[in-house]
Amino acid sequence: MDFIYFSKKPFGWAEQMLVEKIRELGYTADVYDWDEVEITDSSFMYQGKEMKLPTVAMFISRVRTRHIQGDRLYLFDWLELLETKGVRILNRPKAVRSSSNKVYAANILKSAGIRVPETRLVTSMDQIEAALKEWKDIILKPLAGNASVDLTRLILDERRYGDEETEVLSIFQETPIWNMLQKHPVICAQQYVQNPGHDIRINVVAGKVVSISANDALPNTWRKKDINEGKLLRKYELTKELESIALKAVEVLGLDYAPIDLVEGEDGPVVIEVNSAISIWPGHETMGITIDSEGSVKYYVNMIIENINKYSTQSV
Ligand SMILES: Nc1ncnc2c1ncn2[C@@H]1O[C@H](COP(=O)(O)OP(=O)(O)O)[C@@H](O)[C@H]1O
Ligand SMILES: [Mg+2]
């Protein structure tokens, strides 16, 4: 097998479409349900049957996110086991693990000279209060993000109707945070980067920016994404500065491709997050946000084919 895209049911548009394109070019490719894969030291099984290892593999974000924290460590062990057997995984498991830890990634990016928010780990109410006092306006988020679930903003001295005077956190602020700490014993705290009300999303593939869009805040909130309300996307111009930040961020994290979230801070673009799984859908290809008017799919296809050609000859 030349290429396997590991997915979870229900399979999505991106993995099915990419597999189809790779097949059209004469290669063998398939989408496998990760839940039906078994990897041991001597075998690779799918749906109970012994299979040949693929030369190249990819996996969708749900393979990573549908695990609780400790469990996820084992997931990375399985993926690295595949790598030690010679499978080229795009993105490499180590790079995915580092990028999806927001505190670790912020450190790597900052060391490379890329602007990121002030970031630290917090594990207690006291540490959260200290961060809020110091930074005045903060974001708390799970170490590894997932569709902005549990992402919370706290503003110092923000009083709402019915709030009582308290030392740092108001009663209304303390309640969701207490609950968050029960669910996430280790949290990523960041200074909120003041911005004009839109995110910038850039997709990089194999050293090239393939799409850029702006994502406006939803009505009556600073949030730009809501699992129920969706997103407000529009075209956005790629500047040289944005391009060089995006390419460098992907390079220093050791990724092959990445969707990157930035905001425009007062001193320039700030990288909020470097995602490590593909994020394209039919509208992404047709709404005019891709750099190439033909869309971005061919760049993913080329990256996969180049790796198949490179690694299949190596293993013979
Ligand atoms: N430090 C920050 N300053 C300003 N906005 C932020 C900050 N952190 C997160 N956000 C906003 O919240 C969104 C989601 O945060 P992100 O870290 O990308 O998490 P997720 O994994 O949920 O995508 C960002 O795209 C941005 O709009
Ligand atoms: Mg994000």
Side-chain angles (χ1 to χ4, degrees):
M1 185 73 81
D2 295 314
F3 177 64
I4 293 177
Y5 211 135
F6 293 114
S7 182
K8 286 220 178 203
K9 285 191 175 142
F11 295 163
W13 174 81
E15 58 268 30
Q16 296 184 88
M17 178 273 307
L18 281 177
V19 158
E20 203 179 297
K21 298 269 179 212
I22 304 287
R23 281 182 182 163
E24 277 170 18
L25 292 168
Y27 294 86
T28 50
D30 216 341
V31 183
Y32 277 16
D33 181 357
W34 179 253
D35 292 335
E36 296 190 79
V37 171
E38 215 178 302
I39 305 160
T40 69
D41 58 338
S42 56
S43 74
F44 174 62
M45 313 264 282
Y46 185 56
Q47 296 178 328
K49 278 193 280 189
E50 184 67 37
M51 296 290 179
K52 279 206 153 163
L53 283 167
T55 306
V56 174
M58 281 170 68
F59 54 99
I60 66 156
S61 67
R62 273 181 294 128
V63 170
R64 176 181 66 80
T65 56
R66 296 302 185 265
H67 286 264
I68 56 165
Q69 267 166 25
D71 210 19
R72 201 173 289 158
L73 283 176
Y74 297 117
L75 166 75
F76 282 108
D77 284 347
W78 303 137
L79 293 171
E80 282 171 21
L81 196 55
L82 275 180
E83 265 188 332
T84 60
K85 289 171 186 287
V87 180
R88 172 65 163 100
I89 304 180
L90 304 165
N91 288 307
R92 295 184 193 280
K94 169 70 179 76
V96 174
R97 183 167 45 185
S98 317
S99 310
S100 59
N101 176 342
K102 290 180 203 234
V103 175
Y104 182 91
N107 271 276
I108 300 285
L109 294 170
K110 192 175 176 190
S111 307
I114 295 171
R115 218 177 278 113
V116 292
E118 292 285 345
T119 302
R120 72 168 69 126
L121 282 178
V122 290
T123 56
S124 67
M125 204 61 96
D126 284 349
Q127 288 178 342
I128 292 170
E129 290 198 331
L132 182 57
K133 267 190 182 164
E134 186 181 336
W135 293 334
K136 314 282 190 281
D137 190 346
I138 66 170
I139 290 275
L140 298 175
K141 45 188 164 184
L143 218 46
N146 180 205
S148 297
V149 175
D150 295 333
L151 187 109
T152 310
R153 180 176 173 189
L154 297 174
I155 300 172
L156 189 63
D157 296 330
E158 185 191 43
R159 297 267 167 244
R160 287 181 238 172
Y161 177 76
D163 246 0
E164 293 166 27
E165 283 295 316
T166 45
E167 182 56 27
V168 184
L169 286 174
S170 75
I171 301 292
F172 283 142
Q173 287 175 325
E174 192 264 356
T175 304
I177 299 311
W178 184 87
N179 280 289
M180 190 175 177
L181 274 168
Q182 307 309 304
K183 196 168 158 195
H184 305 281
V186 182
I187 295 174
C188 168
Q190 291 188 329
Q191 185 164 38
Y192 182 82
V193 180
Q194 304 300 325
N195 64 81
H198 58 262
D199 274 13
I200 303 167
R201 163 58 67 95
I202 296 178
N203 270 291
V204 171
V205 181
K208 182 179 160 51
V209 172
V210 297
S211 72
I212 176 164
S213 57
N215 186 3
D216 288 312
L218 295 160
N220 305 320
T221 173
W222 57 275
R223 288 178 191 269
K224 287 121 184 177
K225 182 166 64 182
D226 182 292
I227 211 99
N228 299 311
E229 305 287 335
K231 278 186 175 187
L232 296 170
L233 286 189
R234 62 180 158 89
K235 293 183 194 183
Y236 200 79
E237 201 187 329
L238 179 65
T239 61
K240 282 270 161 243
E241 185 184 25
L242 284 169
E243 182 179 37
S244 76
I245 292 171
L247 296 182
K248 192 163 180 191
V250 172
E251 190 193 326
V252 296
L253 288 167
L255 294 160
D256 300 290
Y257 57 92
I260 303 166
D261 293 325
L262 304 99
V263 293
E264 288 187 298
E266 279 158 13
D267 304 320
V270 182
V271 173
I272 299 291
E273 185 187 31
V274 181
N275 296 279
S276 51
I278 222 168
S279 175
I280 58 171
W281 62 97
H284 178 273
E285 297 303 297
T286 52
M287 68 178 288
I289 61 174
T290 56
I291 303 296
D292 185 328
S293 58
E294 288 178 12
S296 71
V297 165
K298 67 178 177 195
Y299 296 92
Y300 292 98
V301 171
N302 287 346
M303 170 185 69
I304 296 165
I305 299 291
E306 271 172 24
N307 278 283
I308 292 174
N309 292 340
K310 182 171 169 194
Y311 288 92
S312 59
T313 47
Q314 272 187 8
S315 61
V316 180

XYZ file of all heavy atoms in Angstrom, residues 101-111 113-121 131 134-135 137-141 151 188-195 199 222 224 245 249 260-274:
453
model
N 0.808 20.776 22.111
C 0.985 21.260 23.480
C 1.234 22.768 23.386
O 2.307 23.220 23.015
C 2.171 20.540 24.115
C 2.492 21.056 25.498
O 2.084 22.140 25.897
N 3.245 20.271 26.235
N 0.210 23.563 23.707
C 0.284 25.000 23.427
C 1.395 25.729 24.188
O 1.940 26.706 23.693
C -1.063 25.657 23.706
C -2.103 25.236 22.679
C -3.443 25.864 22.906
C -4.499 25.017 22.269
N -5.377 25.679 21.336
N 1.717 25.237 25.375
C 2.770 25.899 26.151
C 4.143 25.562 25.563
O 4.989 26.437 25.370
C 2.680 25.511 27.645
C 3.837 26.102 28.430
C 1.346 25.972 28.217
N 4.326 24.304 25.237
C 5.595 23.863 24.637
C 5.805 24.573 23.294
O 6.868 25.126 23.028
C 5.552 22.347 24.437
C 6.805 21.743 23.866
C 7.813 21.272 24.701
C 6.996 21.639 22.492
C 8.970 20.710 24.184
C 8.145 21.086 21.957
C 9.125 20.618 22.808
O 10.266 20.067 22.282
N 4.755 24.572 22.471
C 4.869 25.181 21.134
C 5.199 26.670 21.241
O 6.048 27.180 20.505
C 3.586 24.963 20.343
N 4.551 27.360 22.194
C 4.813 28.802 22.348
C 6.286 29.039 22.690
O 6.910 29.984 22.212
C 3.897 29.390 23.409
N 6.849 28.143 23.509
C 8.264 28.266 23.866
C 9.170 28.098 22.654
O 10.114 28.865 22.460
C 8.627 27.211 24.915
C 8.394 27.719 26.318
O 9.236 28.394 26.877
N 7.225 27.443 26.865
N 8.878 27.079 21.857
C 9.702 26.820 20.655
C 9.609 28.007 19.692
O 10.615 28.470 19.151
C 9.205 25.539 19.924
C 9.306 24.322 20.835
C 9.938 25.328 18.599
C 10.688 23.791 21.038
N 8.387 28.503 19.505
C 8.190 29.618 18.559
C 8.911 30.868 19.054
O 9.595 31.560 18.295
C 6.691 29.895 18.378
C 5.886 28.771 17.695
C 4.383 29.038 17.800
C 6.296 28.618 16.230
N 8.761 31.140 20.342
C 9.391 32.336 20.909
C 10.916 32.271 20.770
O 11.562 33.255 20.408
C 9.002 32.468 22.390
C 9.361 33.802 22.983
C 8.840 33.921 24.390
C 9.299 35.246 24.980
N 9.034 35.313 26.425
N 11.477 31.087 21.048
C 12.937 30.934 20.914
C 13.393 31.166 19.479
O 14.548 31.517 19.243
C 13.377 29.525 21.326
O 12.891 29.228 22.588
N 12.234 33.429 17.647
C 12.028 34.845 17.323
C 10.644 35.166 16.793
O 10.414 36.235 16.231
N 9.695 34.234 16.960
C 8.325 34.473 16.482
C 7.482 35.022 17.634
O 7.570 34.533 18.768
C 7.714 33.156 15.940
C 8.496 32.710 14.700
C 6.231 33.320 15.630
C 8.136 31.327 14.206
N 6.693 36.070 17.341
C 5.870 36.701 18.370
C 4.739 35.758 18.802
O 3.971 35.275 17.972
C 5.283 37.987 17.808
C 5.208 39.114 18.801
C 4.689 40.396 18.163
N 5.702 41.156 17.460
C 5.737 41.351 16.147
N 4.822 40.838 15.359
N 6.683 42.074 15.604
N 4.657 35.478 20.112
C 3.570 34.655 20.677
C 3.052 35.383 21.917
O 3.735 36.259 22.454
C 4.058 33.236 21.077
C 4.429 32.405 19.862
C 5.235 33.304 22.054
N 1.855 35.036 22.409
C 1.384 35.677 23.645
C 2.251 35.228 24.827
O 2.864 34.161 24.778
C -0.042 35.116 23.825
C -0.403 34.460 22.538
C 0.877 34.066 21.872
N 2.282 36.046 25.892
C 2.886 35.595 27.151
C 2.149 34.325 27.543
O 0.907 34.312 27.549
C 2.690 36.651 28.240
C 3.463 37.928 28.019
C 4.945 37.764 28.317
O 5.333 36.764 28.961
O 5.710 38.649 27.899
N 2.881 33.264 27.844
C 2.247 31.954 28.049
C 2.859 31.227 29.241
O 4.066 31.271 29.434
C 2.462 31.075 26.780
O 1.920 31.752 25.650
C 1.796 29.712 26.913
N 2.034 30.591 30.054
C 2.571 29.732 31.122
C 1.561 28.659 31.526
O 0.375 28.775 31.223
C 2.976 30.569 32.335
C 1.815 31.127 33.138
C 2.308 31.681 34.481
N 3.112 32.871 34.271
C 2.871 34.055 34.880
N 1.873 34.177 35.737
N 3.625 35.087 34.639
N 2.095 27.631 32.199
C 1.229 26.582 32.740
C 0.651 27.050 34.061
O 1.359 27.656 34.866
C 2.051 25.331 33.046
C 2.457 24.422 31.909
C 3.303 23.285 32.456
C 1.216 23.844 31.236
N -1.776 35.205 37.432
C -1.655 35.529 35.996
C -2.613 36.662 35.630
O -2.262 37.578 34.877
C -1.944 34.288 35.154
N -1.281 39.964 36.883
C -0.100 40.418 36.140
C -0.460 40.871 34.719
O 0.015 41.896 34.255
C 0.903 39.254 36.077
C 2.227 39.642 35.445
C 3.182 38.454 35.386
O 3.035 37.504 36.200
O 4.074 38.477 34.514
N -1.324 40.090 34.057
C -1.590 40.356 32.630
C -2.901 41.102 32.382
O -3.194 41.473 31.247
C -1.592 39.035 31.850
C -0.250 38.350 31.787
C 0.971 38.947 31.875
C -0.002 36.942 31.608
N 1.960 38.004 31.766
C 1.392 36.759 31.598
C -0.820 35.820 31.464
C 1.988 35.515 31.442
C -0.226 34.580 31.299
C 1.161 34.427 31.296
N -5.743 40.752 31.451
C -6.738 40.192 30.526
C -6.130 38.872 30.041
O -5.064 38.882 29.425
C -6.900 41.190 29.366
C -8.071 40.867 28.459
O -8.601 39.752 28.542
O -8.422 41.748 27.640
N -6.761 37.756 30.389
C -6.118 36.469 30.071
C -7.079 35.477 29.402
O -8.296 35.592 29.506
C -5.493 35.795 31.332
C -6.574 35.363 32.347
C -4.471 36.687 31.984
C -6.014 34.493 33.483
N -6.449 34.519 28.736
C -7.165 33.399 28.132
C -6.689 32.133 28.841
O -5.487 31.964 29.053
C -6.812 33.277 26.627
C -7.403 34.434 25.828
C -7.248 31.944 26.058
C -8.828 34.245 25.387
N -7.647 31.297 29.232
C -7.294 29.982 29.768
C -7.775 28.948 28.772
O -8.899 29.050 28.266
C -7.979 29.752 31.119
C -7.593 30.713 32.233
C -8.441 30.435 33.468
C -6.104 30.604 32.577
N -6.930 27.978 28.480
C -7.346 26.941 27.523
C -6.671 25.627 27.850
O -5.579 25.604 28.424
C -7.062 27.373 26.085
C -5.723 27.998 25.821
C -5.682 28.545 24.382
C -4.551 29.503 24.165
N -4.526 30.108 22.848
N -12.400 27.027 26.302
C -11.581 28.237 26.200
C -12.308 29.383 26.934
O -13.477 29.627 26.677
C -11.420 28.575 24.717
C -10.476 29.701 24.370
C -9.235 29.121 23.714
C -11.134 30.661 23.407
N -3.252 25.901 30.086
C -2.407 26.908 29.441
C -3.031 28.282 29.692
O -4.185 28.515 29.334
C -2.337 26.621 27.938
S -1.629 27.964 26.968
N -2.257 29.168 30.332
C -2.721 30.548 30.542
C -1.925 31.457 29.623
O -0.711 31.307 29.480
C -2.515 30.956 31.990
N -2.626 32.395 28.985
C -1.954 33.349 28.098
C -2.491 34.746 28.341
O -3.655 34.918 28.699
C -2.232 33.004 26.623
C -1.578 31.736 26.164
C -1.705 31.516 24.665
O -2.684 31.929 24.064
N -0.717 30.862 24.086
N -1.630 35.728 28.102
C -2.143 37.089 28.073
C -3.029 37.221 26.836
O -2.690 36.704 25.768
C -0.984 38.077 27.985
C -1.453 39.523 28.063
C -0.303 40.468 28.362
O 0.808 40.277 27.875
N -0.576 41.472 29.168
N -4.176 37.886 26.985
C -5.043 38.114 25.825
C -4.374 39.159 24.942
O -4.006 40.235 25.413
C -6.424 38.599 26.277
C -7.382 38.805 25.128
C -8.083 37.733 24.583
C -7.579 40.063 24.570
C -8.948 37.914 23.516
C -8.450 40.250 23.494
C -9.128 39.158 22.977
O -9.988 39.340 21.920
N -4.196 38.829 23.675
C -3.584 39.778 22.744
C -4.695 40.657 22.165
O -5.588 40.170 21.473
C -2.853 39.033 21.597
C -2.221 40.021 20.629
C -1.810 38.075 22.163
N -4.652 41.954 22.495
C -5.676 42.877 21.979
C -5.566 42.893 20.463
O -4.460 42.938 19.906
C -5.462 44.289 22.545
C -5.443 44.347 24.076
C -6.740 43.850 24.726
O -7.832 44.053 24.194
N -6.637 43.184 25.878
N -6.697 42.810 19.778
C -6.666 42.692 18.313
C -7.911 43.332 17.715
O -8.902 43.536 18.414
C -6.529 41.217 17.916
C -7.726 40.385 18.330
O -8.754 40.382 17.650
N -7.646 39.717 19.480
N -9.345 36.883 13.419
C -8.196 35.972 13.377
C -7.704 35.909 11.940
O -8.464 36.198 11.008
C -8.642 34.536 13.698
C -8.665 34.240 15.180
O -8.577 35.183 15.985
O -8.783 33.052 15.516
N -16.054 38.444 21.599
C -14.695 38.474 21.072
C -14.386 37.157 20.366
O -13.387 37.042 19.662
C -13.694 38.666 22.228
C -13.828 37.584 23.260
C -14.712 37.553 24.312
C -13.113 36.348 23.308
N -14.579 36.385 25.004
C -13.593 35.623 24.411
C -12.092 35.778 22.528
C -13.123 34.362 24.761
C -11.615 34.531 22.877
C -12.124 33.832 23.986
N -14.260 34.092 17.801
C -14.318 34.008 16.341
C -14.795 32.646 15.877
O -14.870 32.380 14.684
C -12.934 34.290 15.756
C -12.560 35.748 15.855
C -11.299 35.939 16.638
C -10.996 37.404 16.798
N -9.813 37.614 17.623
N 6.463 34.605 8.704
C 6.146 34.094 10.047
C 5.564 32.674 9.931
O 5.962 31.749 10.643
C 5.130 35.012 10.772
C 5.768 36.366 11.093
C 4.603 34.351 12.053
C 4.781 37.417 11.615
N 7.253 29.299 11.412
C 6.565 28.582 12.502
C 6.468 27.096 12.174
O 6.722 26.230 13.019
C 5.168 29.177 12.710
N -2.386 27.604 10.585
C -1.872 28.463 11.659
C -2.890 29.553 11.998
O -3.471 30.164 11.101
C -0.558 29.132 11.205
C 0.449 28.056 10.801
C 0.040 30.016 12.298
C 1.613 28.606 10.029
N -3.104 29.787 13.291
C -3.988 30.870 13.750
C -3.134 32.032 14.253
O -2.267 31.832 15.108
C -4.858 30.403 14.924
C -5.856 29.334 14.517
O -6.353 29.388 13.387
O -6.144 28.449 15.352
N -3.408 33.229 13.728
C -2.701 34.421 14.207
C -3.717 35.515 14.521
O -4.843 35.491 14.010
C -1.766 34.991 13.138
C -0.697 34.103 12.523
C -1.158 33.578 11.180
C 0.588 34.879 12.341
N -3.296 36.477 15.350
C -4.080 37.703 15.489
C -3.142 38.877 15.236
O -1.919 38.744 15.365
C -4.765 37.856 16.875
C -5.841 36.807 17.075
C -3.757 37.860 18.007
N -3.735 40.010 14.870
C -2.923 41.200 14.645
C -2.814 41.989 15.933
O -3.727 42.741 16.290
C -3.554 42.051 13.550
C -3.384 41.412 12.197
C -3.851 42.327 11.095
O -5.049 42.663 11.079
O -3.006 42.705 10.278
N -1.717 41.799 16.636
C -1.489 42.519 17.888
C -1.006 43.930 17.619
O -0.768 44.302 16.467
N -0.838 44.695 18.719
C -0.417 46.092 18.548
C 0.976 46.201 17.932
O 1.274 47.164 17.233
C -0.459 46.806 19.912
C -1.879 47.229 20.249
C -2.106 47.435 21.746
O -1.121 47.496 22.505
O -3.297 47.522 22.130
N 1.846 45.210 18.197
C 3.212 45.267 17.668
C 3.397 44.437 16.400
O 4.519 44.292 15.920
C 4.200 44.765 18.726
C 4.065 45.545 20.021
O 3.883 46.771 19.941
O 4.105 44.915 21.098
N 2.318 43.859 15.898
C 2.428 43.030 14.689
C 1.735 41.691 14.886
O 1.136 41.445 15.934
N 1.844 40.823 13.868
C 1.146 39.531 13.953
C 1.684 38.646 15.088
O 2.891 38.586 15.308
C 1.450 38.880 12.594
C 1.935 39.967 11.717
C 2.566 40.996 12.596
N 0.768 38.023 15.804
C 1.121 37.131 16.921
C 0.570 35.744 16.604
O -0.610 35.611 16.273
C 0.489 37.631 18.240
C 0.887 36.731 19.410
C 0.872 39.083 18.514
N 1.427 34.728 16.705
C 0.954 33.360 16.441
C 0.245 32.836 17.685
O 0.813 32.773 18.772
C 2.119 32.421 16.065
C 1.637 30.967 15.972
C 2.740 32.842 14.738
N -1.037 32.473 17.521
C -1.822 31.938 18.632
C -1.710 30.418 18.672
O -1.570 29.825 19.732
C -3.317 32.339 18.503
C -3.473 33.862 18.525
C -4.159 31.678 19.585
C -3.171 34.519 19.851
N -1.782 29.809 17.510
C -1.763 28.340 17.502
C -1.266 27.815 16.163
O -1.604 28.348 15.117
C -3.182 27.815 17.743
C -3.235 26.308 17.868
C -4.645 25.747 17.945
O -5.576 26.323 17.363
O -4.794 24.707 18.578
N -0.467 26.755 16.242
C -0.068 26.043 15.028
C -0.719 24.661 15.105
O -0.353 23.846 15.941
C 1.467 25.924 14.906
C 1.846 25.200 13.622
C 2.114 27.305 14.938
